[in-house]
Every structure is written in C-alpha cells, then in structure tokens.
C-alpha cells in the first residue's frame, strides 16, 4: 500500500479536486494509540489497489491543525483513528475505531 502523506492544510484543496476523478481515503492515525495501530494494520493487510481509491495518511500527533480543518471542511466530527472517503469534494463515508475495515470501505466505494 502506497500512502500519500497529508502534511499541510493546502493539500485538502488538492484532495477535493482529485476526488472528482476517483475516491480518496483519508486515514487519521494516532501513532501513540494501539487501536489506531491495529486499524491501520488491518487496512494495509487487506488493501487492494484495484479498488481505485487513492489513500492519504495523516499523522494526528504531528498535524493536529489539519485534523481540525478536515472536521470543518467535511463536517465529520473528529475521532481517532478515523477514515473518511471523499468523493466529489464531500465525505460520503466515515468510520472510526473498530468499525474501520477494508470491507466497509469497499462497500462505500
């Protein structure tokens, strides 16, 4: 799985534009949380590039302001860990904690 690192608020405009061409996944990961590590590992083990989703990874501890901006831009209350699926500039699916799964993402795509 090839993550695209989300490290600046300006990238959110790029993500919105890209989401008109193909779905975008944002994975909000807390590097100090065991549940977050487990959810990340499950997503990576099951990932399939043929789904056509471009994945972005946000390190929450290093980039807290970006997480707040995501919450405001997409209208999804912050949780950690959390995934958001962006299509046509809007969040069409989100899940957090143990609800994060590749199967759930697949159904949403």
């Amino acid at each position: 799985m090839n993550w695209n690192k989300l490290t600046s608020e300006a990238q959110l405009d790029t993500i919105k534009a890209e989401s008109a061409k193909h779905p975008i996944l944002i994975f909000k990961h807390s590097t100090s949380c065991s549940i977050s590590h487990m959810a990340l590992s499950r997503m990576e083990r099951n990932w399939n590039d043929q789904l056509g989703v471009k994945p972005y990874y946000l390190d929450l501890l290093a980039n807290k302001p970006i997480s707040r901006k995501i919450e405001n831009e997409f209208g999804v209350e912050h949780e950690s860990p959390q995934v958001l699926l962006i299509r046509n500039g809007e969040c069409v699916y989100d899940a957090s904690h143990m609800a994060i799964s590749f199967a759930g993402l697949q159904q949403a795509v």
Side-chain angles (χ1 to χ4, degrees):
M1 180 171 193
N2 294 316
W3 288 108
N4 297 280
K5 292 191 176 179
L6 180 49
T7 57
S8 78
E9 291 182 21
Q11 285 177 278
L12 294 177
D13 291 332
T14 302
I15 286 171
K16 284 183 173 182
E18 284 181 314
S19 74
K21 297 175 190 142
H22 48 80
I24 303 291
L25 172 73
I26 298 174
F27 190 103
K28 294 165 66 176
H29 176 60
S30 173
T31 57
S32 66
C33 172
S34 62
I35 292 172
S36 192
H37 280 283
M38 184 180 63
L40 178 65
S41 177
R42 282 187 1 209
M43 185 66 71
E44 289 177 337
R45 281 193 319 267
N46 294 294
W47 189 259
N48 183 337
D49 286 331
Q50 293 178 342
L51 189 59
V53 175
K54 184 174 181 178
Y56 279 84
Y57 169 94
L58 175 64
D59 177 341
L60 290 169
L61 298 181
N63 299 289
K64 288 181 185 180
I66 298 172
S67 181
R68 286 191 291 275
K69 180 86 171 171
I70 289 170
E71 184 175 16
N72 292 332
E73 289 283 323
F74 298 110
V76 177
E77 188 175 336
H78 167 75
E79 295 194 56
S80 171
Q82 185 176 43
V83 294
L84 293 87
L85 182 67
I86 311 302
R87 186 181 296 126
N88 295 320
E90 299 195 7
C91 181
V92 296
Y93 168 82
D94 69 274
S96 65
H97 296 85
M98 299 306 292
I100 295 172
S101 72
F102 182 75
L105 176 66
Q106 252 180 324
Q107 290 177 345
V109 170

